[in-house]
Amino acid sequence: MSERSSHWQLQTIVSQLRSARDQWRAQNGRASGEQGGRELPSRAAMAEILEALCGALFPMRLGPVDLREESEDFYVGHTLDVALNALLAQTRLELRYVARHSAQDDSEVEARAIQIVQDFALALPGLRTLLDTDVLAAYHGDPAARSVDEVLLCYPGILAVIHHRLAHHLYRAGLPLLARISAEIAHSATGIDIHPGAQIGRSFFIDHGTGVVIGETAIIGERVRIYQAVTLGAKRFPADEDGQLQKGHPRHPIVEDDVVIYAGATILGRITIGKGSTIGGNVWLTRSVPAGANLTQANLQHDDGTQK
């Protein structure tokens, strides 16, 4: 170590950190550590993969600045080759991590990893077509949007939705950790938190977007538009006999087609927002509403000021 490093007592700190790691591993049944190398996927690697996939999906808008149209196919092919091989490596890591606690052998993991990434690659053209509906929904839904190019380059809601469409496919393919990493990268960049398990239909538009939260079991129909600070969350978290939270059960709202939800609305629980409804700003809603409803803070109040 350098002379300057001696000021920091690094040998002591490194030793104490080793002790803290060993203690945690012993308490959690991981006393052997990760002697064969890193076992978990890398957030940095997934960020590079997602950036490459965005470029491959929209090469002349999200690809390299010097790309020319006559080179588009070459760029897309090369970029996908690199990105998919990198995704395969991350997929192996997640599947091997899970397989440590099961009877799967390496050959089963490898075959499944290859199949998952092959299926993901084949889904990309359909995902691009689906994303085109989201871009058009943003363009037609915002009078300030001057072009679809502006929407794709500038709107945080579109970046969040691109990541979600990719993450949702990984989630359904059995890669919840890679899916969650992908979602959280977009969350960090945009302030929009969409769990990769959420099911979202075509032509989805998040306007402005900061503070939007969409939970794991939410189901959103087609042509839905939501604004900033909207929450589609859970009302309560049931626990089992041991007091542990029950996971996976439906606990988030169902939003049917053609619904608009304005800024600050909070919608909680497994309730249904009927087709064509409008939910006003800052509404707190814990009950289902019929198709075509128009709810505001004013029409949700009794004469005495309490909520209906």
Side-chain angles (χ1 to χ4, degrees), residues 38-56:
R38 181 182 178 123
E39 292 184 343
L40 291 169
S42 163
R43 182 180 173 118
M46 283 305 298
E48 292 181 3
I49 291 166
L50 290 164
E51 184 175 3
L53 290 172
C54 287

Side-chain angles (χ1 to χ4, degrees), residues 59-60 66-77:
M60 298 304 292
D66 58 349
L67 182 64
R68 301 179 64 86
E69 190 171 354
E70 56 266 29
S71 305
E72 223 177 352
D73 284 348
F74 176 82
Y75 162 75
V76 170

Side-chain angles (χ1 to χ4, degrees), residues 43 45-55 57-58 62 120 124 127 131 134 152 155-171 178-190 192-198 200 204 206:
R43 182 180 173 118
M46 283 305 298
E48 292 181 3
I49 291 166
L50 290 164
E51 184 175 3
L53 290 172
C54 287
L57 287 168
F58 298 96
L62 303 181
F120 178 82
L124 289 172
L127 289 173
L131 286 165
D134 302 320
L152 191 55
Y155 280 37
I158 291 299
L159 176 61
V161 171
I162 292 173
H163 276 234
H164 176 73
R165 301 293 190 194
L166 297 169
H168 184 65
H169 184 97
L170 297 175
Y171 180 89
L178 288 182
R180 191 61 184 269
I181 291 171
S182 303
E184 292 305 324
I185 290 169
H187 183 195
S188 297
T190 66
I192 298 169
D193 183 359
I194 310 176
H195 192 285
I200 301 178
F204 180 54
I206 303 174

Side-chain angles (χ1 to χ4, degrees), residues 225-264:
R225 184 165 78 250
I226 66 177
Y227 289 80
Q228 67 271 21
V230 165
T231 297
L232 303 180
K235 184 179 180 182
R236 59 177 62 89
F237 303 97
D240 60 22
E241 295 178 354
D242 298 323
Q244 301 296 317
L245 293 182
Q246 296 180 10
K247 299 180 183 294
H249 67 91
R251 60 194 182 278
H252 300 102
I254 298 171
V255 179
E256 295 185 342
D257 298 345
D258 302 303
V259 169
V260 179
I261 306 174
Y262 284 100

Side-chain angles (χ1 to χ4, degrees), residues 22 81 93 99 119 152-153 155 163 169 171 174 201-202 204 221-223 247 252 269-271 281 293:
D22 289 344
D81 185 42
L93 286 172
D119 292 344
L152 191 55
L153 288 169
Y155 280 37
H163 276 234
H169 184 97
Y171 180 89
R202 297 164 57 88
F204 180 54
E222 298 185 354
R223 299 173 301 279
K247 299 180 183 294
H252 300 102
R270 193 57 160 189
I271 62 175

